[in-house]
Amino acid sequence: MTGTAEKDLAETGAGAAGPHPVDRHVGLHIRMRRKALGVSQEKLAEALGLTFQQVQKYERGTNRVSASKLYEIARALKTTVGFFYEGLEDETAGAAQGFLGSNTQDFLLTPEGIELASAFPKIRRAGLRRKVLELVRAMAELEAEERRADWTPVAALQT
């Protein structure tokens, strides 16, 4: 491999520990579409001739989805292949500017994240949505304060 090719791989995250950001993005969109349609991993796997574990690996970005398999997934989930890449450019630009990026994906990969993301837009009143957001922020701040209070130099030395 040339020095330039190695540099390009390092910049994109390919070969680094953990899934590639594009694989995570595609996997997240597979999961979101599957959940939106109310399809289980088992049912999707059956439709694709895979095990549900393979679907899990695709959704986490642990395994890359081939072009032909992504086409089959799109057909099974009644969408276009392009759907799985939507927002990728925005996310890449946002990550470069320090946006949430990976934290957002991690959140949306949890069952609670998916449920919250689908339920939140159903709250029609902007004021009520704002109150929910304020509640979540307050809870996150409280938890951060509790973590800081639990941390002491002595406790840090004991770990």
Side-chain angles (χ1 to χ4, degrees), residues 8-9 11-31 57-67 70 81-93 95 101-102 105 109:
D8 290 345
L9 284 174
E11 288 174 358
T12 61
H20 190 282
V22 174
D23 296 326
R24 287 176 50 97
H25 181 90
V26 169
L28 174 63
H29 279 71
I30 292 170
R31 180 178 172 90
K57 289 178 182 182
Y58 285 157
E59 289 183 356
R60 290 183 183 137
T62 307
N63 285 6
R64 289 192 171 138
V65 183
S66 69
L70 191 60
V81 170
F83 167 81
F84 302 112
Y85 294 96
E86 286 177 3
L88 187 59
E89 297 83 13
D90 298 337
E91 185 177 299
T92 304
S102 153
Q105 287 186 352
L109 285 171

Side-chain angles (χ1 to χ4, degrees), residues 35-130:
K35 290 281 211 172
L37 295 176
V39 176
S40 68
Q41 287 179 333
E42 292 82 4
K43 289 289 184 190
L44 179 58
E46 184 180 315
L48 300 170
L50 301 172
T51 64
F52 82 91
Q53 291 95 336
Q54 183 62 42
V55 171
Q56 283 180 330
K57 289 178 182 182
Y58 285 157
E59 289 183 356
R60 290 183 183 137
T62 307
N63 285 6
R64 289 192 171 138
V65 183
S66 69
S68 58
K69 193 57 70 178
L70 191 60
Y71 176 78
E72 291 176 27
I73 291 170
R75 288 185 55 139
L77 296 178
K78 299 176 177 72
T79 190
T80 64
V81 170
F83 167 81
F84 302 112
Y85 294 96
E86 286 177 3
L88 187 59
E89 297 83 13
D90 298 337
E91 185 177 299
T92 304
Q97 298 168 6
F99 186 65
L100 297 173
S102 153
N103 289 337
T104 304
Q105 287 186 352
D106 290 342
F107 167 71
L108 289 173
L109 285 171
T110 67
E112 299 85 3
I114 291 284
E115 189 172 352
L116 186 57
S118 64
F120 190 80
K122 294 175 184 172
I123 302 171
R124 296 197 181 274
R125 294 185 300 179
L128 187 53
R129 282 195 310 269
R130 173 64 51 197

